[in-house]
Coordinates of all heavy atoms in Angstrom, one line a residue:
V174 N 102.3 92.9 60.6 CA 102.4 93.1 62.0 C 102.7 94.6 62.1 O 103.6 95.2 61.5 CB 103.5 92.4 62.7 CG1 103.7 92.8 64.2 CG2 103.3 90.8 62.5
T175 N 101.8 95.3 62.9 CA 101.9 96.8 63.2 C 102.7 97.0 64.4 O 102.3 96.5 65.5 CB 100.6 97.5 63.2 OG1 99.9 97.2 61.9 CG2 100.7 98.9 63.4
V176 N 103.8 97.8 64.3 CA 104.5 98.1 65.5 C 104.4 99.6 65.8 O 104.6 100.4 65.0 CB 106.0 97.8 65.3 CG1 106.8 98.2 66.6 CG2 106.2 96.4 64.9
L177 N 103.9 99.9 67.0 CA 103.6 101.3 67.6 C 104.8 101.7 68.4 O 105.5 100.9 69.0 CB 102.3 101.3 68.3 CG 101.1 100.9 67.6 CD1 99.8 100.9 68.5 CD2 100.8 101.6 66.2
K178 N 104.8 103.0 68.6 CA 105.9 103.6 69.4 C 105.6 103.2 70.9 O 104.5 103.4 71.4 CB 106.0 105.1 69.3 CG 107.2 105.7 70.0 CD 107.2 107.2 69.7 CE 108.3 107.8 70.5 NZ 108.5 109.3 70.2
G179 N 106.7 102.7 71.6 CA 106.4 102.3 73.0 C 107.1 103.4 74.0 O 107.4 104.5 73.5
S180 N 107.2 103.0 75.2 CA 107.8 104.0 76.2 C 109.3 103.8 76.3 O 109.8 104.6 77.2 CB 107.1 103.7 77.5 OG 107.4 102.4 78.0
N181 N 109.9 103.0 75.6 CA 111.3 102.8 75.8 C 112.2 103.7 74.9 O 113.1 103.3 74.2 CB 111.7 101.3 75.4 CG 111.3 101.0 74.0 OD1 110.6 101.6 73.4 ND2 111.9 99.9 73.5
T182 N 111.8 105.0 74.9 CA 112.6 106.0 74.1 C 113.7 106.5 75.0 O 113.7 106.6 76.2 CB 111.7 107.2 73.9 OG1 111.1 107.7 75.0 CG2 110.5 106.8 72.9
P183 N 114.9 106.7 74.4 CA 116.1 107.0 75.1 C 115.9 108.4 75.8 O 115.2 109.2 75.3 CB 117.2 107.0 74.0 CG 116.5 107.3 72.8 CD 115.2 106.6 72.9
L184 N 116.6 108.6 76.9 CA 116.6 109.8 77.7 C 117.5 110.8 77.1 O 118.7 110.6 76.8 CB 117.1 109.6 79.2 CG 117.1 110.8 80.0 CD1 115.7 111.5 80.2 CD2 117.7 110.5 81.4
V185 N 117.0 112.1 76.7 CA 117.7 113.0 76.0 C 117.9 114.3 76.9 O 117.0 114.8 77.5 CB 117.0 113.5 74.7 CG1 117.8 114.5 74.0 CG2 116.8 112.3 73.8
I186 N 119.2 114.6 77.1 CA 119.4 115.8 78.0 C 119.7 117.1 77.1 O 120.6 117.0 76.3 CB 120.7 115.6 78.8 CG1 120.5 114.3 79.7 CG2 121.1 116.8 79.7 CD1 121.7 114.0 80.5
E187 N 118.7 118.0 77.1 CA 118.8 119.1 76.2 C 119.8 120.2 76.7 O 120.4 120.8 75.8 CB 117.4 119.7 76.1 CG 116.3 118.7 75.6 CD 114.9 119.4 75.5 OE1 114.8 120.5 75.9 OE2 114.0 118.7 75.0
N188 N 120.1 120.3 78.0 CA 121.0 121.2 78.4 C 122.3 120.5 79.0 O 122.2 119.7 79.8 CB 120.4 122.1 79.6 CG 121.2 123.2 79.9 OD1 122.3 123.4 79.5 ND2 120.6 124.2 80.8
D189 N 123.3 120.9 78.3 CA 124.6 120.2 78.7 C 125.2 120.7 80.0 O 126.1 120.1 80.6 CB 125.7 120.4 77.6 CG 125.3 119.7 76.3 OD1 124.6 118.7 76.4 OD2 125.8 120.1 75.3
E190 N 124.7 121.8 80.5 CA 125.2 122.4 81.8 C 124.5 121.7 83.0 O 123.3 121.8 83.1 CB 124.9 123.8 81.9 CG 125.8 124.6 80.7 CD 125.6 126.2 80.9 OE1 124.8 126.5 81.8 OE2 126.1 126.9 80.1
L191 N 125.2 120.9 83.8 CA 124.6 120.3 84.9 C 124.9 121.0 86.2 O 126.0 121.6 86.4 CB 125.2 118.8 85.0 CG 124.9 118.0 83.8 CD1 125.6 116.6 84.1 CD2 123.4 117.8 83.6
E192 N 123.9 121.1 87.1 CA 124.1 121.9 88.4 C 124.4 120.9 89.5 O 123.7 119.9 89.7 CB 122.8 122.6 88.7 CG 122.9 123.5 89.9 CD 121.6 124.3 90.1 OE1 120.8 124.3 89.3 OE2 121.5 124.8 91.2
L193 N 125.4 121.2 90.3 CA 125.8 120.3 91.4 C 125.1 120.6 92.6 O 124.6 121.8 92.8 CB 127.4 120.5 91.6 CG 128.3 120.1 90.5 CD1 129.8 120.5 91.0 CD2 128.2 118.8 90.1
A194 N 124.9 119.7 93.5 CA 124.2 119.8 94.8 C 125.0 120.8 95.6 O 126.2 120.9 95.5 CB 123.9 118.5 95.4
E195 N 124.4 121.4 96.5 CA 125.0 122.4 97.5 C 125.9 121.6 98.5 O 125.6 120.5 98.7 CB 124.0 123.2 98.1 CG 123.0 122.4 99.0 CD 122.0 123.3 99.7 OE1 122.3 124.5 99.9 OE2 121.0 122.8 100.2
N196 N 126.9 122.3 99.0 CA 127.8 121.7 100.0 C 127.0 121.7 101.3 O 126.3 122.6 101.7 CB 129.0 122.5 100.1 CG 129.8 122.4 98.8 OD1 129.7 121.4 98.1 ND2 130.6 123.4 98.5
Y197 N 127.4 120.8 102.2 CA 126.9 120.6 103.6 C 128.0 121.1 104.5 O 129.2 120.7 104.4 CB 126.5 119.2 103.9 CG 125.3 118.7 103.2 CD1 125.4 118.0 102.0 CD2 124.1 119.0 103.8 CE1 124.2 117.6 101.4 CE2 122.9 118.5 103.2 CZ 123.0 117.8 102.0 OH 121.8 117.4 101.3
D198 N 127.6 122.0 105.5 CA 128.6 122.6 106.4 C 128.9 121.7 107.5 O 130.0 121.7 108.2 CB 128.1 123.9 106.9 CG 128.0 124.9 105.8 OD1 128.8 124.9 104.8 OD2 127.1 125.9 105.9
T199 N 128.0 120.8 107.9 CA 128.1 119.9 109.0 C 127.7 118.5 108.6 O 127.0 118.3 107.7 CB 127.2 120.4 110.2 OG1 125.9 120.3 109.8 CG2 127.6 121.7 110.7
T200 N 128.1 117.5 109.5 CA 127.8 116.1 109.3 C 127.7 115.4 110.6 O 128.2 115.9 111.7 CB 128.8 115.4 108.4 OG1 128.4 114.1 108.0 CG2 130.2 115.3 109.1
T201 N 127.0 114.2 110.7 CA 126.9 113.4 111.8 C 127.4 112.1 111.7 O 127.2 111.4 110.6 CB 125.4 113.3 112.2 OG1 124.8 114.6 112.4 CG2 125.2 112.6 113.5
L202 N 128.3 111.6 112.6 CA 129.0 110.3 112.5 C 128.4 109.5 113.6 O 128.0 109.9 114.7 CB 130.5 110.4 112.7 CG 131.2 111.4 111.7 CD1 132.7 111.5 112.0 CD2 131.0 110.8 110.3
H203 N 128.3 108.1 113.2 CA 127.9 107.1 114.2 C 128.9 106.1 114.5 O 129.6 105.7 113.5 CB 126.6 106.4 113.7 CG 125.5 107.5 113.4 ND1 124.6 107.8 114.3 CD2 125.1 108.0 112.2 CE1 123.7 108.7 113.8 NE2 124.0 108.8 112.6
A204 N 129.0 105.6 115.7 CA 129.9 104.6 116.0 C 129.6 103.3 115.5 O 128.4 102.9 115.4 CB 130.1 104.5 117.6
V205 N 130.5 102.5 115.1 CA 130.3 101.1 114.5 C 129.9 100.2 115.6 O 130.4 100.3 116.7 CB 131.6 100.6 113.8 CG1 131.3 99.1 113.2 CG2 132.0 101.5 112.7
A206 N 128.8 99.3 115.4 CA 128.4 98.3 116.4 C 129.5 97.4 116.8 O 130.4 97.1 116.0 CB 127.2 97.6 115.9
T207 N 129.5 97.1 118.1 CA 130.5 96.1 118.6 C 130.4 94.8 118.0 O 129.3 94.2 117.9 CB 130.3 96.0 120.2 OG1 130.4 97.3 120.8 CG2 131.5 95.1 120.7
S208 N 131.6 94.2 117.5 CA 131.6 92.9 116.9 C 131.7 91.8 118.0 O 132.3 91.9 119.0 CB 132.7 92.8 116.0 OG 132.9 91.5 115.5
H209 N 130.9 90.6 117.8 CA 131.0 89.4 118.7 C 132.0 88.5 118.2 O 132.0 87.4 118.7 CB 129.6 88.8 118.7 CG 128.6 89.7 119.3 ND1 128.6 90.0 120.7 CD2 127.5 90.4 118.8 CE1 127.6 90.8 121.0 NE2 126.9 91.1 119.9
Y210 N 132.9 88.8 117.2 CA 133.8 87.9 116.7 C 134.9 87.6 117.8 O 135.4 88.4 118.5 CB 134.6 88.4 115.5 CG 135.6 87.5 114.9 CD1 135.2 86.5 114.2 CD2 137.0 87.8 115.1 CE1 136.2 85.6 113.6 CE2 137.9 86.9 114.5 CZ 137.5 85.9 113.7 OH 138.4 85.0 113.2
N211 N 135.1 86.2 118.0 CA 136.0 85.6 118.9 C 135.5 85.9 120.5 O 136.2 85.7 121.3 CB 137.4 86.2 118.8 CG 138.3 85.4 117.8 OD1 137.8 84.3 117.5 ND2 139.3 86.0 117.2
S212 N 134.3 86.3 120.6 CA 133.8 86.5 121.9 C 133.3 85.1 122.4 O 133.2 84.1 121.7 CB 132.6 87.5 121.9 OG 131.5 86.9 121.2
P213 N 133.1 85.0 123.8 CA 132.6 83.7 124.4 C 131.3 83.2 123.7 O 131.2 82.1 123.5 CB 132.4 84.0 125.9 CG 133.3 85.2 126.1 CD 133.4 86.0 124.9
L214 N 130.4 84.2 123.4 CA 129.1 83.7 122.7 C 129.4 83.2 121.3 O 128.9 82.1 121.0 CB 128.2 85.0 122.6 CG 126.9 84.7 121.8 CD1 126.1 83.7 122.6 CD2 126.1 86.0 121.7
H215 N 130.3 83.8 120.6 CA 130.7 83.3 119.3 C 131.4 82.0 119.3 O 131.1 81.0 118.6 CB 131.6 84.4 118.6 CG 132.1 84.0 117.2 ND1 133.5 83.8 117.0 CD2 131.4 83.7 116.1 CE1 133.5 83.4 115.7 NE2 132.4 83.4 115.2

C-alpha cells in the first residue's frame, strides 16, 4: 500500500510576532427587542 502526502499538514507560524487589529474609536448599540413573556398573547 502506497501512502502519499495529503493536505492535512499542520499549520506552521514562521513569525512569532503577531499584529493586533486596530482600535475602533466609535461603536453603534441597538436596543433589545421587546419580550412577549407574560404578555396577554403569551
Side-chain angles (χ1 to χ4, degrees):
V174 177
T175 301
V176 179
L177 305 176
K178 183 178 180 180
S180 60
N181 58 346
T182 54
L184 177 64
V185 178
I186 302 177
E187 297 180 355
N188 190 350
D189 292 334
E190 296 182 3
L191 301 179
E192 184 178 350
L193 300 177
E195 61 179 342
N196 295 330
Y197 289 94
D198 296 331
T199 60
T200 186
T201 302
L202 301 178
H203 300 276
V205 178
T207 303
S208 173
H209 293 287
Y210 181 74
N211 275 339
S212 66
L214 176 62
H215 177 239

